[in-house]
Structures are given as structure tokens and as C-alpha cells.
């Protein structure tokens, strides 16, 4: 009772990385609260195939729901699984990925249980909260932290009176770390029929197509990102050339994506991809909170900007003061000369 739960998303029989990242964070939250970490996964033909992908992250109890109709994902059965399971287990925290599935499932579960839900969190912490209006003091509340108002501020959201406290987190925001390959967690296989009524399966997936990724922005060790300061779509050709020389990937700020200069799947930030490269080269990027949330954990940050007061300069390890038109061609020329 009152444990930390993570909903594990799967593709076939493969547990998604975002779920494993949340298991890592969930384990830390559970340790801080002195409770257990539980996980739930639902699919078809997954028994014996997902346990080893989940338990090593420190899961004390894993609920595996295996039945026809649970994969591909549809809203109704997965919602009833979580709602009915949570009524039994009464968790204090539930985490899930801010994916297409998580954005569909999270609000349905929180609405059914009358609990709160904070989307797209960038940090999760445990702390105390004093309600000045009622005079109540709350201990060990989940701080759900995310940029708000277009990324202009960072908001800390609490849900003191309703359970579970629910949050979704984008892939790549949290670190993924195996706790123990041989972690001895309990696995249970509930009777799906006791949780899901037959009419939940009235919607069936007739055809399904999963588009493969066009690039590896999230996993690239070097990211060359452009912002509105690039000035045009054509200017991004320089970034692609530089990224090719560095064996990296090209990213962008939201402003550059909104301007139509680059595809939105290359957007880095709170409403895009979160990256953890060894080197992040920010070209013509001002550095609003929304963007910084998606790249602040890079090993080395290099800022190329003609504005010495640009906010991103404050977190950069190296600042090159100049226009992208001046600096980037020189970098391309240098790396071409020294890569031969």
C-alpha cells in the first residue's frame, strides 16, 4: 500500500526505454519514501519475456497482465487495468511516459480516480508542503517540476490531498540505470478478466504501422543545434555539413521549428526531444527555459551567438561571440582539414 508505481510501456515484447528510465527514478523516490517500487505491464504473449527487462531496475513487485487484445494498445482495457489495480493497491505515486500512449492513458486514469496529473515533468523530487490557506503541513509530497507559460518559468506542482500523485515524463529526461541484474522482485500474473470487462475489447486494431526513426538525435554523442538566430532554412545546411564532419546529429530550438526551417522531430526542449550528448553546440539559440530543459545535462556546451547576453551563455562551457555565418564555415573548414 502507498507504494510507487510505474506503468511500463511495451512494443511487442520489448519494454520501452522511457519506462526503464522511470523505473530508475521510481526506485530512488521509493527509497527516499521508505516504500516499495511496483511496476505494471500489459500486453499479449509477454509472460516470461518482459520480467528480465523490468526487475533489474529495482522493482519489488511486478504485475504482468497478459491476454489477447492487450496489444496493440487501446484505451479502454489499459485504463481499467490501472484504475482497478490502483483501487486495490492504493499507490501514492504513479509515473508513466509522456508518449502517445501515456498522454492518452494518464488523463483517463487520473480522471477515473479523481487524482491530479502533471504532464511533461522535467524533474521529480520529494519534499514538504505548507498550505498557507488551510494551515496544513504535508510531508513527503511529490514535487512535479516542469516549465510553464511557454517555458518562461519553471513551475513546481503538488497534489497534497488526492492519490495517486501522477506525472508523465518524456523519454530521455531521466537517466536509465540497472540497479541489480539479479534483483529479487516478486512477479504476479493477475486474471485479466477480473480487471477488464469483455466490452472493453470491442475496439480492435485492424492495421498498425510504426514509423522508424529517421535519425538518432537522442542517442548521438554530438548534437549541433540551430535556433532562430540561424536566420533561414538554407542556413541549416551549414549545420548538417558540420554535423556530418563531427559524426553528430542536427537539432533545433522550437523557434526554428515554428519558422519552418527544420522538421519538428529534431526539436530539442521541453516540447521536443531531451538529449544527453557529450558535446552540444548551440548555434544562434537564445536559451529559453523550454530549450535548456532538453539539453542542460550535456557534457560540454558550446554556444555560438552574437549576443553576449544570451541566456544560454550562462550555462555554456565555451562561448564563441560571433555570427553563425562567420563561425560555422570556419569550424567546418578546420574539422575537414584535421579529419584527413
Amino acid at each position: 500500500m502507498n507504494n510507487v508505481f510505474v506503468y511500463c510501456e511495451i512494443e511487442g515484447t520489448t519494454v520501452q526505454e522511457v519506462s526503464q528510465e522511470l523505473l530508475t527514478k521510481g526506485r530512488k523516490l521509493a527509497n527516499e519514501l521508505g516504500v516499495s517500487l511496483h511496476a505494471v505491464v500489459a500486453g499479449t504473449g509477454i509472460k516470461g519475456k518482459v520480467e528480465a527487462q523490468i526487475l533489474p531496475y529495482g522493482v519489488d513487485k511486478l504485475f504482468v497482465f497478459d491476454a489477447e487484445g492487450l496489444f496493440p494498445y487501446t484505451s479502454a482495457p489499459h485504463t481499467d487495468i490501472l484504475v482497478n489495480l490502483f483501487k486495490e493497491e492504493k499507490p501514492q505515486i504513479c509515473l508513466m511516459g509522456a508518449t502517445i500512449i501515456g498522454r492518452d492513458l494518464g488523463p483517463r486514469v487520473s480522471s477515473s480516480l479523481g487524482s491530479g496529473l502533471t504532464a511533461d515533468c522535467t524533474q521529480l523530487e520529494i519534499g514538504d508542503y505548507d498550505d498557507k490557506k488551510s494551515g496544513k503541513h504535508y510531508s513527503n509530497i511529490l514535487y512535479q517540476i516542469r516549465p510553464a507559460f511557454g517555458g518562461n518559468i519553471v513551475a513546481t506542482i503538488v497534489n497534497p490531498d488526492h492519490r495517486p500523485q501522477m506525472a508523465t515524463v518524456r523519454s530521455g529526461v531521466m537517466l536509465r540505470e540497472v540497479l541489480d541484474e539479479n534483483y529479487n522482485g516478486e512477479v504476479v500474473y493477475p486474471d485479466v478478466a477480473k480487471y477488464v470487462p469483455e466490452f472493453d475489447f470491442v475496439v480492435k486494431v485492424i492495421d498498425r504501422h510504426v514509423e522508424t526513426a529517421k535519425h538518432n538525435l537522442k542517442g548521438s554523442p554530438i548534437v549541433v543545434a540551430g535556433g532562430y538566430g540561424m536566420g533561414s532554412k538554407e542556413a541549416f545546411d551549414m549545420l548538417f555539413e558540420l554535423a556530418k564532419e563531427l559524426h553528430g546529429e542536427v537539432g533545433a530550438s522550437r523557434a526554428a521549428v515554428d519558422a519552418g526551417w527544420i522538421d519538428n522531430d529534431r526539436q530539442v526542449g521541453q516540447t521536443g526531444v531531451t538529449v544527453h550528448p557529450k558535446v552540444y553546440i548551440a548555434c544562434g539559440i537564445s536559451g529559453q527555459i523550454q530549450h535548456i530543459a532538453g539539453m542542460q545535462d550535456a557534457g560540454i556546451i558550446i554556444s555560438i551567438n552574437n549576443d553576449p547576453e544570451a541566456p544560454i551563455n550562462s550555462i555554456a562551457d565555451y562561448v564563441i561571440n560571433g555570427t553563425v555565418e562567420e563561425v560555422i564555415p570556419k569550424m567546418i573548414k578546420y574539422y575537414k582539414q584535421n579529419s584527413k
Side-chain angles (χ1 to χ4, degrees):
M1 297 296 178
N2 299 318
N3 295 307
V4 175
F5 258 84
V6 173
Y7 170 80
C8 292
E9 193 173 317
I10 59 172
E11 176 59 40
T13 58
T14 302
V15 177
Q16 299 300 281
E17 286 187 14
V18 64
S19 300
Q20 294 170 330
E21 292 163 2
L22 292 177
L23 289 172
T24 301
K25 185 61 179 182
R27 179 69 268 171
K28 294 176 181 177
L29 295 175
N31 288 346
E32 195 168 348
L33 293 167
V35 300
S36 297
L37 173 63
H38 290 181
V40 54
V41 60
T44 303
I46 61 174
K47 186 177 180 179
K49 298 177 181 178
V50 295
E51 295 85 346
Q53 302 175 58
I54 296 174
L55 294 176
Y57 291 89
V59 175
D60 298 303
K61 190 172 184 179
L62 170 61
F63 296 83
V64 179
F65 289 82
D66 190 340
E68 288 296 325
L70 291 181
F71 184 84
Y73 168 88
T74 53
S75 303
H78 284 250
T79 298
D80 277 336
I81 284 173
L82 290 195
V83 169
N84 292 322
L85 180 63
F86 288 175
K87 285 179 179 178
E88 293 177 355
E89 296 295 319
K90 296 180 170 48
Q92 60 175 305
I93 292 172
C94 171
L95 307 177
M96 59 180 65
T99 60
I100 292 174
I101 289 176
R103 291 192 176 111
D104 176 77
L105 182 61
R108 293 174 184 272
V109 175
S110 65
S111 177
S112 297
L113 296 174
S115 65
L117 170 67
T118 303
D120 291 328
C121 293
T122 54
Q123 289 177 266
L124 298 170
E125 299 174 2
I126 301 297
D128 294 342
Y129 170 66
D130 290 303
D131 189 332
K132 296 179 181 179
K133 187 175 181 179
S134 66
K136 289 183 179 180
H137 174 77
Y138 298 88
S139 298
N140 295 327
I141 292 294
L142 180 67
Y143 289 175
Q144 300 154 66
I145 303 169
R146 57 154 296 162
F149 293 102
N152 293 313
I153 66 169
V154 175
T156 299
I157 300 169
V158 296
N159 181 14
D161 293 318
H162 301 280
R163 296 293 179 271
Q165 302 163 93
M166 295 184 64
T168 65
V169 180
R170 282 177 173 267
S171 178
V173 172
M174 306 294 176
L175 295 176
R176 181 178 59 149
E177 295 176 334
V178 169
L179 181 66
D180 182 353
E181 289 286 356
N182 300 308
Y183 195 84
N184 189 23
E186 178 187 0
V187 183
V188 295
Y189 303 95
D191 181 0
V192 175
K194 292 182 178 179
Y195 293 82
V196 183
E198 189 63 33
F199 58 75
D200 274 4
F201 296 105
V202 68
V203 175
K204 298 185 183 299
V205 178
I206 304 301
D207 188 30
R208 182 170 179 268
H209 174 71
V210 178
E211 191 75 25
T212 55
K214 299 176 183 177
H215 51 72
N216 186 30
L217 180 59
K218 192 176 77 168
S220 177
I222 298 176
V223 173
V224 181
Y228 197 74
M230 292 299 297
S232 68
K233 183 176 183 178
E234 290 70 28
F236 269 83
D237 291 342
M238 291 190 297
L239 300 192
F240 280 99
E241 188 175 355
L242 178 59
K244 182 180 179 181
E245 293 298 324
L246 297 175
H247 304 288
E249 288 283 0
V250 174
S253 70
R254 179 173 179 173
V257 170
D258 289 346
W261 298 341
I262 192 167
D263 293 340
N264 60 9
D265 61 353
R266 292 187 180 273
Q267 181 178 322
V268 174
Q270 171 63 19
T271 53
V273 178
T274 299
V275 295
H276 303 275
K278 293 180 180 178
V279 179
Y280 189 88
I281 305 175
C283 309
I285 294 176
S286 63
Q288 296 300 313
I289 292 174
Q290 186 269 111
H291 183 79
I292 288 175
M295 45 67 69
Q296 60 188 347
D297 292 328
I300 296 174
I301 299 172
I302 301 171
S303 173
I304 302 172
N305 208 299
N306 61 359
D307 178 9
E309 303 300 321
I312 200 167
N313 292 349
S314 64
I315 66 164
D317 298 285
Y318 301 96
V319 176
I320 301 175
N321 188 231
T323 66
V324 291
E325 294 83 2
E326 296 172 335
V327 176
I328 295 175
K330 292 180 180 179
M331 294 179 72
I332 294 170
K333 181 180 178 181
Y334 174 83
Y335 287 116
K336 280 184 175 180
Q337 290 175 345
N338 288 273
S339 62
K340 294 178 181 179

